[in-house]
Amino acid sequence: MTRKDRLNDIFRRDSRTYAHLRAADPELPEHVWEVIIRYRPQLSALQWDAVREFTIVTAINMEPRTFETVRRMMTMTARFNAW
């Protein structure tokens, strides 16, 4: 049977998985973290699994504070990292 997790369940699971990365920027706003963790590029699952952690680290190190900034950053860096 196919497992159908709700988006919030996926978000909570991913937040726990990458919580150690969030600790790198304790002042990171919650709405920015949600954008980072919920972001899914148009890449194969294999590619995204390979570059996801590096992409998250890159985004956190750049210290974004707004939705627009972090969304743009995730879009550009995910594709670049996969390339």
Side-chain angles (χ1 to χ4, degrees):
M1 179 178 221
T2 303
R3 188 172 171 171
K4 295 184 179 180
D5 291 335
R6 294 177 184 246
L7 290 176
N8 285 337
D9 295 336
I10 294 169
F11 168 71
R12 287 186 194 104
R13 184 189 68 224
D14 289 351
S15 285
R16 284 190 303 271
T17 302
Y18 296 105
H20 65 286
L21 300 177
R22 185 174 185 185
D25 185 3
E27 297 175 5
L28 189 70
E30 185 65 29
H31 71 278
V32 171
W33 176 247
E34 288 184 18
V35 172
I36 290 171
I37 250 351
R38 291 177 191 260
Y39 181 76
R40 298 285 185 275
Q42 292 182 351
L43 298 171
S44 72
L46 185 63
Q47 286 177 306
W48 183 228
D49 288 343
V51 300
R52 184 175 188 188
E53 188 164 342
F54 182 70
T55 303
I56 291 171
V57 169
T58 302
I60 291 172
N61 286 339
M62 295 180 87
E63 299 181 353
R65 296 298 184 247
T66 65
F67 173 87
E68 294 83 10
T69 304
V70 73
R71 182 66 181 180
R72 208 172 296 122
M73 189 181 319
M74 291 299 290
T75 301
M76 290 185 285
T77 58
R79 300 289 296 194
F80 182 76
N81 292 339
W83 174 72

